[in-house]
Amino acid sequence: EDKVVRVSAWAARHMIDLDAEQNTDPELEEFPGAGAVAFYLWGIDPVHPEAAIAWFDAKAEEIRNEDLVRSRSVSVPSANLFRMENGVETRRVCVNDFELREAGDGAGMTFVGYGAVFNSDSQPLPFIERIQPGAFARSLRSRNEIKMFVNHDTTQVLASKRAGTLRLSEDSHGLRVEADLPDTTAGRDMAYLIKRGDVADMSFGFSVPSGGDSWSADGQTRELREVRLHEVSVVTGFPAYEATTASVRSLDTLAEATGIESDKLNAAIDALEKGETLSPDLAEVLDTAIGRLRSERDDVAASLALKQKQLDLLIARV
């Protein structure tokens, strides 16, 4: 367990090393550079690091969540922040105005959409996040491989930067994604779903190099000035910034700690995140959860997850 956590943390700190071409381009005589050798020794392929890093991050996250359960320290935001501090993060853009057209050579469909939008407030993560123009510039200039997947699934590849089937650029709106969809089951299915209007979301996986972000004094706002882009995905699930597996597990832990059914807690929290007016039943669920956490434990961390929800509850009632 200790080794898994250490690898996850090490990879997050050293992703910036992969900006150097000698660490990611096997065609160069200088490959593998010292940074690439270090990744290999930790068990990560520097040319295609995503799958291994995702595995280490997921396992490290499980270990930490188990520790949280053992210590009875319940915190939904903490589960999300563990993932953000130690690995690849994902963010999602909803209701994309996708464009789908016949490829010039008649070899399929060309897809156009936006993987990220600049100067736009995210939904609560629980903090608010904004991406600044130019945040992707360094990644786009590098020769690092970036791929387009379905739902961040590395086994469902739609296009790749190195093959020229994925073209990424920044404009005034955000990260523009143009891809030649393949004549595969995944490619044909995706084209069909986009044509029907069933799919309208994109997401991108990224890590933040040292100094690439800044936080407000109260920790409620994060500004991304530079990110290392790992991949982009067309997303078929819902909705934006929905609970990750880790936060779902934390929600179950919260339900156990408060004696409230997880489905009821999820419905109440989901209504708040969507900005909906709470019904009396849902409002009572959150009030009860907060009350039980306060009465049953003295530590601040135990009720921190619902403090922000309480504020949202007050706003929703106005």
CSV table of all heavy atoms in Angstrom, one decimal, residues 27-61:
chain,number,residue,atom,x,y,z
A,27,GLU,N,11.5,8.0,-31.2
A,27,GLU,CA,12.3,8.1,-32.4
A,27,GLU,C,13.5,9.0,-32.3
A,27,GLU,O,14.4,9.0,-33.2
A,27,GLU,CB,11.3,8.8,-33.5
A,27,GLU,CG,10.1,7.9,-33.8
A,27,GLU,CD,9.3,8.5,-34.9
A,27,GLU,OE1,9.6,9.6,-35.4
A,27,GLU,OE2,8.2,7.9,-35.2
A,28,LEU,N,13.6,9.7,-31.2
A,28,LEU,CA,14.8,10.6,-30.9
A,28,LEU,C,16.0,9.7,-30.5
A,28,LEU,O,15.8,8.7,-29.7
A,28,LEU,CB,14.5,11.6,-29.9
A,28,LEU,CG,13.5,12.7,-30.3
A,28,LEU,CD1,13.3,13.7,-29.1
A,28,LEU,CD2,14.0,13.5,-31.5
A,29,GLU,N,17.1,10.1,-30.9
A,29,GLU,CA,18.3,9.4,-30.5
A,29,GLU,C,18.6,9.5,-29.0
A,29,GLU,O,19.1,8.6,-28.3
A,29,GLU,CB,19.6,9.9,-31.2
A,29,GLU,CG,20.9,9.2,-30.9
A,29,GLU,CD,22.0,9.7,-31.8
A,29,GLU,OE1,21.8,10.5,-32.7
A,29,GLU,OE2,23.2,9.3,-31.5
A,30,GLU,N,18.1,10.6,-28.4
A,30,GLU,CA,18.3,10.9,-26.9
A,30,GLU,C,17.4,10.0,-26.1
A,30,GLU,O,17.6,10.0,-24.8
A,30,GLU,CB,18.2,12.3,-26.6
A,30,GLU,CG,19.2,13.3,-27.3
A,30,GLU,CD,18.8,13.6,-28.7
A,30,GLU,OE1,17.7,13.1,-29.2
A,30,GLU,OE2,19.5,14.4,-29.4
A,31,PHE,N,16.4,9.4,-26.7
A,31,PHE,CA,15.4,8.6,-25.9
A,31,PHE,C,16.0,7.3,-25.5
A,31,PHE,O,16.7,6.7,-26.3
A,31,PHE,CB,14.2,8.4,-26.7
A,31,PHE,CG,13.1,7.7,-26.0
A,31,PHE,CD1,12.2,8.3,-25.2
A,31,PHE,CD2,13.0,6.3,-26.1
A,31,PHE,CE1,11.2,7.6,-24.5
A,31,PHE,CE2,12.0,5.6,-25.4
A,31,PHE,CZ,11.1,6.2,-24.6
A,32,PRO,N,15.8,6.8,-24.2
A,32,PRO,CA,15.1,7.5,-23.2
A,32,PRO,C,16.0,8.4,-22.4
A,32,PRO,O,17.1,8.0,-22.0
A,32,PRO,CB,14.6,6.3,-22.3
A,32,PRO,CG,15.7,5.3,-22.5
A,32,PRO,CD,16.2,5.5,-23.9
A,33,GLY,N,15.4,9.6,-22.1
A,33,GLY,CA,16.2,10.5,-21.2
A,33,GLY,C,16.1,10.1,-19.8
A,33,GLY,O,15.4,9.1,-19.4
A,34,ALA,N,16.7,10.8,-18.9
A,34,ALA,CA,16.7,10.4,-17.5
A,34,ALA,C,15.3,10.4,-16.9
A,34,ALA,O,15.0,9.5,-16.1
A,34,ALA,CB,17.6,11.4,-16.7
A,35,GLY,N,14.5,11.3,-17.3
A,35,GLY,CA,13.1,11.3,-16.8
A,35,GLY,C,12.3,10.1,-17.2
A,35,GLY,O,11.6,9.5,-16.5
A,36,ALA,N,12.5,9.7,-18.5
A,36,ALA,CA,11.8,8.5,-19.0
A,36,ALA,C,12.3,7.3,-18.2
A,36,ALA,O,11.5,6.4,-17.9
A,36,ALA,CB,12.1,8.3,-20.5
A,37,VAL,N,13.6,7.2,-18.0
A,37,VAL,CA,14.2,6.0,-17.2
A,37,VAL,C,13.5,6.0,-15.9
A,37,VAL,O,13.2,4.9,-15.4
A,37,VAL,CB,15.7,6.1,-17.1
A,37,VAL,CG1,16.2,5.1,-16.2
A,37,VAL,CG2,16.3,6.0,-18.5
A,38,ALA,N,13.4,7.1,-15.2
A,38,ALA,CA,12.8,7.1,-13.9
A,38,ALA,C,11.3,6.6,-13.9
A,38,ALA,O,10.9,5.8,-13.1
A,38,ALA,CB,12.8,8.6,-13.3
A,39,PHE,N,10.6,7.0,-15.0
A,39,PHE,CA,9.2,6.5,-15.1
A,39,PHE,C,9.2,5.0,-15.3
A,39,PHE,O,8.4,4.3,-14.7
A,39,PHE,CB,8.5,7.2,-16.3
A,39,PHE,CG,7.8,8.5,-15.9
A,39,PHE,CD1,8.4,9.7,-15.8
A,39,PHE,CD2,6.4,8.4,-15.5
A,39,PHE,CE1,7.8,10.8,-15.4
A,39,PHE,CE2,5.7,9.6,-15.2
A,39,PHE,CZ,6.4,10.8,-15.1
A,40,TYR,N,10.1,4.5,-16.2
A,40,TYR,CA,10.2,3.1,-16.4
A,40,TYR,C,10.4,2.3,-15.1
A,40,TYR,O,9.9,1.3,-14.8
A,40,TYR,CB,11.3,2.7,-17.4
A,40,TYR,CG,10.9,2.9,-18.8
A,40,TYR,CD1,11.6,3.7,-19.7
A,40,TYR,CD2,9.7,2.3,-19.4
A,40,TYR,CE1,11.3,3.9,-21.0
A,40,TYR,CE2,9.3,2.5,-20.7
A,40,TYR,CZ,10.1,3.3,-21.5
A,40,TYR,OH,9.8,3.4,-22.8
A,41,LEU,N,11.3,2.9,-14.3
A,41,LEU,CA,11.7,2.2,-13.0
A,41,LEU,C,10.6,2.2,-12.0
A,41,LEU,O,10.5,1.3,-11.2
A,41,LEU,CB,12.9,2.9,-12.4
A,41,LEU,CG,14.3,2.7,-13.2
A,41,LEU,CD1,15.4,3.5,-12.6
A,41,LEU,CD2,14.7,1.2,-13.2
A,42,TRP,N,9.7,3.2,-12.1
A,42,TRP,CA,8.5,3.2,-11.3
A,42,TRP,C,7.4,2.3,-11.8
A,42,TRP,O,6.3,2.2,-11.2
A,42,TRP,CB,8.0,4.6,-11.0
A,42,TRP,CG,8.8,5.4,-10.0
A,42,TRP,CD1,9.7,6.4,-10.2
A,42,TRP,CD2,8.7,5.2,-8.6
A,42,TRP,NE1,10.2,6.8,-9.0
A,42,TRP,CE2,9.6,6.1,-8.0
A,42,TRP,CE3,8.0,4.4,-7.7
A,42,TRP,CZ2,9.8,6.3,-6.6
A,42,TRP,CZ3,8.2,4.5,-6.4
A,42,TRP,CH2,9.1,5.4,-5.8
A,43,GLY,N,7.6,1.8,-13.0
A,43,GLY,CA,6.6,0.9,-13.6
A,43,GLY,C,5.6,1.6,-14.5
A,43,GLY,O,4.5,1.2,-14.7
A,44,ILE,N,6.0,2.8,-15.0
A,44,ILE,CA,5.1,3.6,-15.9
A,44,ILE,C,5.8,3.8,-17.2
A,44,ILE,O,6.9,4.2,-17.3
A,44,ILE,CB,4.8,5.0,-15.2
A,44,ILE,CG1,4.1,4.7,-13.8
A,44,ILE,CG2,3.9,5.8,-16.1
A,44,ILE,CD1,3.9,6.0,-13.1
A,45,ASP,N,5.0,3.5,-18.3
A,45,ASP,CA,5.5,3.8,-19.6
A,45,ASP,C,5.5,5.3,-19.9
A,45,ASP,O,4.4,5.8,-20.0
A,45,ASP,CB,4.7,3.0,-20.6
A,45,ASP,CG,5.2,3.2,-22.1
A,45,ASP,OD1,6.1,4.0,-22.3
A,45,ASP,OD2,4.6,2.6,-23.0
A,46,PRO,N,6.6,6.0,-20.1
A,46,PRO,CA,6.6,7.4,-20.3
A,46,PRO,C,5.9,7.8,-21.6
A,46,PRO,O,5.5,9.0,-21.7
A,46,PRO,CB,8.0,7.8,-20.2
A,46,PRO,CG,8.8,6.6,-20.7
A,46,PRO,CD,8.0,5.4,-20.1
A,47,VAL,N,5.9,7.0,-22.6
A,47,VAL,CA,5.3,7.3,-23.9
A,47,VAL,C,3.8,7.2,-23.8
A,47,VAL,O,3.1,8.1,-24.4
A,47,VAL,CB,5.8,6.3,-25.0
A,47,VAL,CG1,5.2,6.7,-26.3
A,47,VAL,CG2,7.3,6.4,-25.1
A,48,HIS,N,3.3,6.3,-23.0
A,48,HIS,CA,1.8,6.1,-22.8
A,48,HIS,C,1.6,5.9,-21.3
A,48,HIS,O,1.3,4.8,-20.9
A,48,HIS,CB,1.3,5.0,-23.6
A,48,HIS,CG,1.5,5.0,-25.1
A,48,HIS,ND1,0.9,6.0,-25.9
A,48,HIS,CD2,2.4,4.3,-25.9
A,48,HIS,CE1,1.3,5.8,-27.2
A,48,HIS,NE2,2.2,4.8,-27.2
A,49,PRO,N,1.7,7.0,-20.5
A,49,PRO,CA,1.6,6.8,-19.1
A,49,PRO,C,0.2,6.8,-18.5
A,49,PRO,O,0.0,6.4,-17.3
A,49,PRO,CB,2.3,8.1,-18.6
A,49,PRO,CG,2.0,9.1,-19.6
A,49,PRO,CD,2.0,8.4,-20.9
A,50,GLU,N,-0.8,7.1,-19.3
A,50,GLU,CA,-2.1,7.3,-18.8
A,50,GLU,C,-2.7,6.1,-18.0
A,50,GLU,O,-3.2,6.2,-16.9
A,50,GLU,CB,-3.1,7.7,-19.9
A,50,GLU,CG,-2.8,9.1,-20.5
A,50,GLU,CD,-1.8,8.9,-21.7
A,50,GLU,OE1,-1.4,7.8,-22.0
A,50,GLU,OE2,-1.4,10.0,-22.2
A,51,ALA,N,-2.6,4.9,-18.6
A,51,ALA,CA,-3.3,3.8,-18.0
A,51,ALA,C,-2.6,3.4,-16.7
A,51,ALA,O,-3.3,3.1,-15.7
A,51,ALA,CB,-3.2,2.6,-19.0
A,52,ALA,N,-1.3,3.4,-16.6
A,52,ALA,CA,-0.6,3.0,-15.4
A,52,ALA,C,-0.9,4.1,-14.3
A,52,ALA,O,-1.1,3.7,-13.1
A,52,ALA,CB,0.9,2.9,-15.6
A,53,ILE,N,-0.8,5.4,-14.7
A,53,ILE,CA,-1.1,6.4,-13.7
A,53,ILE,C,-2.5,6.3,-13.1
A,53,ILE,O,-2.7,6.5,-11.9
A,53,ILE,CB,-0.8,7.8,-14.3
A,53,ILE,CG1,0.7,8.0,-14.5
A,53,ILE,CG2,-1.3,8.9,-13.4
A,53,ILE,CD1,1.1,9.3,-15.1
A,54,ALA,N,-3.4,6.1,-14.0
A,54,ALA,CA,-4.8,5.9,-13.6
A,54,ALA,C,-5.0,4.8,-12.6
A,54,ALA,O,-5.7,4.9,-11.6
A,54,ALA,CB,-5.7,5.7,-14.8
A,55,TRP,N,-4.3,3.7,-12.9
A,55,TRP,CA,-4.3,2.5,-12.0
A,55,TRP,C,-3.8,2.9,-10.6
A,55,TRP,O,-4.4,2.6,-9.6
A,55,TRP,CB,-3.6,1.3,-12.6
A,55,TRP,CG,-3.7,0.1,-11.8
A,55,TRP,CD1,-4.7,-0.9,-11.9
A,55,TRP,CD2,-2.9,-0.3,-10.7
A,55,TRP,NE1,-4.5,-1.9,-11.0
A,55,TRP,CE2,-3.4,-1.6,-10.2
A,55,TRP,CE3,-1.7,0.2,-10.1
A,55,TRP,CZ2,-2.8,-2.3,-9.2
A,55,TRP,CZ3,-1.2,-0.5,-9.0
A,55,TRP,CH2,-1.7,-1.7,-8.6
A,56,PHE,N,-2.6,3.5,-10.6
A,56,PHE,CA,-1.9,3.8,-9.3
A,56,PHE,C,-2.8,4.8,-8.6
A,56,PHE,O,-3.0,4.7,-7.3
A,56,PHE,CB,-0.5,4.4,-9.5
A,56,PHE,CG,0.5,3.4,-9.8
A,56,PHE,CD1,1.2,3.3,-11.0
A,56,PHE,CD2,0.9,2.5,-8.8
A,56,PHE,CE1,2.2,2.3,-11.2
A,56,PHE,CE2,1.8,1.5,-9.0
A,56,PHE,CZ,2.5,1.4,-10.2
A,57,ASP,N,-3.4,5.8,-9.3
A,57,ASP,CA,-4.2,6.8,-8.6
A,57,ASP,C,-5.4,6.2,-8.0
A,57,ASP,O,-5.9,6.5,-6.9
A,57,ASP,CB,-4.6,7.9,-9.6
A,57,ASP,CG,-3.4,8.8,-10.0
A,57,ASP,OD1,-2.4,8.7,-9.3
A,57,ASP,OD2,-3.5,9.5,-11.0
A,58,ALA,N,-6.1,5.3,-8.8
A,58,ALA,CA,-7.3,4.6,-8.3
A,58,ALA,C,-7.0,3.8,-7.0
A,58,ALA,O,-7.8,3.8,-6.1
A,58,ALA,CB,-7.9,3.8,-9.4
A,59,LYS,N,-5.9,3.0,-7.1
A,59,LYS,CA,-5.6,2.2,-5.9
A,59,LYS,C,-5.2,3.1,-4.7
A,59,LYS,O,-5.6,2.8,-3.6
A,59,LYS,CB,-4.4,1.3,-6.3
A,59,LYS,CG,-4.8,0.2,-7.3
A,59,LYS,CD,-5.9,-0.7,-6.8
A,59,LYS,CE,-6.3,-1.7,-7.8
A,59,LYS,NZ,-7.4,-2.6,-7.3
A,60,ALA,N,-4.4,4.2,-5.0
A,60,ALA,CA,-4.1,5.0,-3.9
A,60,ALA,C,-5.3,5.7,-3.2
A,60,ALA,O,-5.4,5.8,-2.0
A,60,ALA,CB,-3.1,6.1,-4.3
A,61,GLU,N,-6.3,6.0,-4.1
A,61,GLU,CA,-7.5,6.6,-3.6
A,61,GLU,C,-8.3,5.6,-2.8
A,61,GLU,O,-8.8,6.0,-1.7
A,61,GLU,CB,-8.3,7.0,-4.9
A,61,GLU,CG,-9.5,8.0,-4.6
A,61,GLU,CD,-10.1,8.5,-5.9
A,61,GLU,OE1,-10.2,7.7,-6.8
A,61,GLU,OE2,-10.3,9.7,-5.9
